[in-house]
Amino acid sequence: MATHITRRDWLKLAGGSVLGLMLSPVPWKLVDDSAIWTQNWPWVPTPLKGKIQNKFSACTLCPAGCAVRARCVGEQPVSLWGVSEHPLSRGALCPVGFAAHHFAYHPLRIMQPCRRTHATVSPVSLDEAITAIANVMTEMQTSGATEFVTVLDAQPERTMSLLYRQFLAALPHGLYLTSPAQEGATLRALREMCEQPQDTFGYDFENSRTILSFGAPLLDGWGTPGRMAQLIKNRRQTDLKIIQVETRQSHTALQADEWLPIKPGTEAALACGLAHAIIQEHLYDEAALRRATLDLEAYCQSFRAFSLEEIAEVCGISSNKISQLASTLVNRKPCVVIGDGEPAAPLSRETERVIAGLNLLLGSVNCKGGIVVHRALPLAQEFQQQPLAPATELEHLPDHSIRILILAAAAASGALPWALLEKKLAPQKSLIVSLAPNLGAYAEHVDYFIPAPAIFESWQDLPTPFDASTASLNLSCPLLTPPAGAIEPSSFLHRLANAAGIQFNASGEQPLLDLIQQRVAAIHETQRGKVFIVQTREFVDIAALSSSDDLWQLLAEGGCLLDDMFE
């Protein structure tokens, strides 16, 4: 007798099968086995194994040189953190700094020298690249060309920077170029107004009572970010008042104690109005002006023909407000007046001079809590005996005058608009060389790529941040092993010099590490300053260290050297 199977029977069978399968351990075991099996595929990354330890270094992505604590598994860094109580960075790291150990694995990283031909980038040997560059240098010398061989360095005053300058000084037309950095523009203007331009200025914010900023992004990563964050955090206890003069309500303007919205492009007018009010009411520091080099009569010429009311109308704020601001600066000393402006809208040199002059009128130069003078740290003996090419700002170079442009790693990152560089290049015959680990933002314009070590793959020294009140030195210690194809820029310079028949180093090729150690030894000989020990969070006097090797060891372990205050 045939059995009649209905649709209901099929549904019961399907439902029971599903339920039985769910209650059975078989599918769950298969899922678990599949997960374990797929983790063993050769291209799947596996977690590192090894001892967990902390190593200390410093970030070289920008001149701030923030201290870094790297959490490592074995020898491999897996995360980066700031170093609390560090005298410069105060435990801060920027978002990019937190991920700096990943730069070695950049997708555009190059592992061997390359040459760009039209739109194609193809590998070449190092000897081939050096020969091509040296041939252009030789041709320039034999033909009597007037164009320049230049190195553009975005992080000057390092030991590597001095090596660039030494190399360029040996060339007939060598020029060492620095980027037109907006930060520190007020200090540069002040140096130009002083009789001793070799002095280095810095800001003693920790002892200031008032900071007047003309558009400087003080609370948006300006200067040493950790330092500014600490100032804002403690300003109630230190009685610090921040006044922001800016055309828009930026983050700094929102966080400041007072925001003065002025009309766009009137920063110079407001600075002249403040000088007008200070001089008219005889509020300036006569003793300080006698010690300074400011020609008061010449300084007043720019605004003597205008009344305070006329200046106020130009700026878009009342004359009473300008007078009140001048009184605040006089009554809340020590004070600092900063120009610098926003990176997208830098202030002119004339404006910076007027702003720098306000510091002289207020007696804030060479004054505790104002703008202080600090000494430069000594150089390695190698650079004390050899000539160095002077630093030249890029904008001061004539247009169409660069035949060979060598981009240091930071300069090759693309921070400058290409149009600014392009107008300085000799048309149709310029040669551009990149000394960076990645192809970079200028890849379509570079002729030869020389792969350099990435961050945390080589020894670097970090000089004093531009805003610091005392000279300092940090070391960036290697946390990663560079790939076999990476070429130290110092080695590249020596090989290029040999190929071009140039002798620029009397002691021959020296590793950069040896030159940095020589500098530390020269600093130890001064017996000045102190070292912050990162492990104990304490300071030790350099004079208490028996040898330069002891000083080197402390710095190599993440310590920070601070010079004595200049009296």
Side-chain angles (χ1 to χ4, degrees):
M1 180 178 179
T3 303
H4 180 67
I5 300 176
T6 65
R7 185 175 63 176
R8 178 173 294 185
D9 295 329
W10 282 111
L11 292 175
K12 286 180 180 180
L13 177 63
S17 300
V18 170
L19 183 61
L21 191 63
M22 292 179 61
L23 295 177
S24 168
V26 174
W28 313 114
K29 179 61 176 173
L30 289 175
V31 171
D32 182 55
D33 289 345
S34 299
I36 296 173
W37 178 59
T38 54
Q39 289 177 7
N40 293 324
W41 285 342
W43 58 84
V44 175
T46 57
L48 296 172
K49 295 181 181 180
K51 179 182 177 181
I52 301 207
Q53 58 182 328
N54 288 325
K55 294 184 178 181
F56 296 91
S57 188
C59 178
T60 59
L61 291 177
C62 81
C66 298
V68 166
R69 175 173 63 87
R71 184 174 182 267
C72 300
V73 177
E75 299 299 320
Q76 179 72 28
V78 295
S79 64
L80 302 183
W81 302 90
V83 178
S84 61
E85 300 179 26
H86 192 274
L88 296 181
S89 57
R90 271 81 165 179
L93 273 183
C94 72
V96 179
F98 277 112
H101 58 302
H102 292 296
F103 275 63
Y105 313 104
H106 196 287
L108 295 179
R109 177 127 199 213
I110 49 178
M111 298 299 181
Q112 67 182 94
C114 296
R115 177 180 60 194
R116 181 183 61 84
T117 306
H118 302 294
T120 304
V121 176
S122 55
V124 295
S125 68
L126 179 60
D127 289 339
E128 183 179 349
I130 288 176
T131 300
I133 302 167
N135 287 342
V136 177
M137 295 172 61
T138 304
E139 180 208 334
M140 291 177 62
Q141 295 180 37
T142 56
S143 65
T146 57
E147 293 96 352
F148 298 106
V149 177
T150 63
V151 173
L152 178 59
D153 187 5
Q155 295 179 347
E157 299 184 18
R158 302 167 298 152
T159 296
M160 188 63 229
S161 304
L162 299 175
L163 202 57
Y164 285 137
R165 293 173 61 183
Q166 189 183 68
F167 168 75
L168 293 167
L171 302 178
H173 299 286
L175 276 183
Y176 174 75
L177 302 179
T178 57
S179 302
Q182 186 61 21
E183 291 186 332
T186 302
L187 297 180
R188 289 197 298 273
L190 189 61
R191 288 183 64 187
E192 294 173 358
M193 301 169 70
C194 293
E195 291 180 346
Q196 297 178 327
Q198 72 274 12
D199 290 340
T200 303
F201 293 112
Y203 297 111
D204 187 16
F205 289 137
E206 286 72 16
N207 295 301
S208 299
R209 291 190 64 204
T210 310
I211 299 176
L212 173 62
S213 162
F214 282 79
L218 298 181
L219 311 182
D220 295 273
W222 183 91
T224 307
R227 182 189 189 191
M228 301 309 300
Q230 192 74 18
L231 286 172
I232 298 304
K233 179 181 178 181
N234 299 332
R235 61 178 167 174
R236 303 306 176 196
Q237 291 78 18
T238 58
D239 191 31
L240 174 65
K241 182 175 184 178
I242 298 178
I243 304 170
Q244 183 75 358
V245 174
E246 197 165 2
T247 59
R248 63 185 182 89
Q249 195 175 37
S250 64
H251 178 69
T252 300
L254 283 169
Q255 295 293 318
D257 297 282
E258 185 177 355
W259 169 46
L260 292 180
I262 61 172
K263 294 180 180 179
T266 62
E267 290 85 359
L270 178 58
C272 288
L274 290 172
H276 190 289
I278 291 171
I279 294 172
Q280 190 177 46
E281 300 296 329
H282 298 283
L283 302 176
Y284 54 88
D285 191 323
E286 295 185 12
L289 281 182
R290 283 195 295 269
R291 295 192 301 269
T293 60
L294 180 67
D295 187 339
L296 190 59
E297 197 63 30
Y299 183 73
C300 295
Q301 285 181 358
S302 58
F303 55 83
R304 187 181 296 279
F306 302 95
S307 66
L308 191 59
E309 288 73 19
E310 290 174 323
I311 294 175
E313 185 177 356
V314 171
C315 297
I317 58 177
S318 67
S319 58
N320 287 337
K321 190 62 180 178
I322 297 178
S323 298
Q324 290 173 7
L325 180 55
S327 298
T328 298
L329 296 174
V330 171
N331 296 326
R332 286 184 55 86
K333 291 182 179 180
C335 60
V336 175
V337 185
I338 303 173
D340 289 12
E342 295 186 57
L347 303 179
S348 66
R349 285 185 172 270
E350 292 74 18
T351 301
E352 292 289 0
R353 285 181 63 85
V354 177
I355 293 172
L358 289 174
N359 290 291
L360 292 170
L361 287 177
L362 295 165
S364 297
V365 179
N366 206 8
C367 158
K368 182 178 180 180
I371 296 175
V372 294
V373 179
H374 61 76
R375 294 168 290 203
L377 295 174
L379 309 178
Q381 186 177 4
E382 169 68 29
F383 301 116
Q384 297 175 8
Q385 301 172 349
Q386 299 289 330
L388 302 176
T392 303
E393 291 189 20
L394 180 63
E395 64 243 40
H396 294 165
L397 196 65
D399 291 349
H400 311 307
S401 61
I402 297 178
R403 180 70 181 277
I404 298 178
L405 173 62
I406 300 175
L407 299 169
S413 64
L416 291 176
W418 173 251
L420 182 61
L421 294 174
E422 187 177 28
K423 70 178 183 178
K424 303 295 182 181
L425 300 174
Q428 308 300 325
K429 58 179 180 178
S430 60
L431 183 70
I432 304 174
V433 182
S434 171
L435 303 182
N438 309 323
L439 289 179
Y442 303 139
E444 60 182 300
H445 307 289
V446 172
D447 296 292
Y448 285 95
F449 301 88
I450 308 298
I455 182 174
F456 299 134
E457 288 185 348
S458 64
W459 287 94
Q460 296 288 338
D461 57 334
L462 291 97
T464 309
F466 84 92
D467 61 328
S469 57
T470 58
S472 65
L473 183 72
N474 284 335
L475 295 181
S476 179
C477 313
L479 301 175
L480 299 164
T481 301
I487 301 158
E488 284 284 355
S490 57
S491 177
F492 169 78
L493 286 186
H494 283 97
R495 295 185 64 169
L496 178 60
N498 290 335
I502 299 167
Q503 179 65 38
F504 80 99
N505 191 324
S507 56
E509 181 175 351
Q510 284 185 287
L512 183 64
L513 176 59
D514 290 351
L515 296 173
I516 298 174
Q517 288 176 327
Q518 287 182 22
R519 186 177 194 185
V520 172
I523 293 172
H524 181 264
E525 289 181 3
T526 66
Q527 295 290 287
R528 293 196 322 255
K530 56 189 177 181
V531 180
F532 173 73
I533 303 176
V534 69
Q535 289 81 5
T536 62
R537 306 294 197 269
E538 297 175 344
F539 285 93
V540 60
D541 290 335
I542 292 179
L545 301 177
S546 59
S547 68
S548 62
D549 292 338
D550 294 336
L551 175 58
W552 172 264
Q553 187 65 30
L554 292 177
L555 294 175
E557 293 175 351
C560 174
L561 184 147
L562 295 177
D563 197 6
D564 292 331
M565 290 287 291
F566 186 69
E567 301 293 342

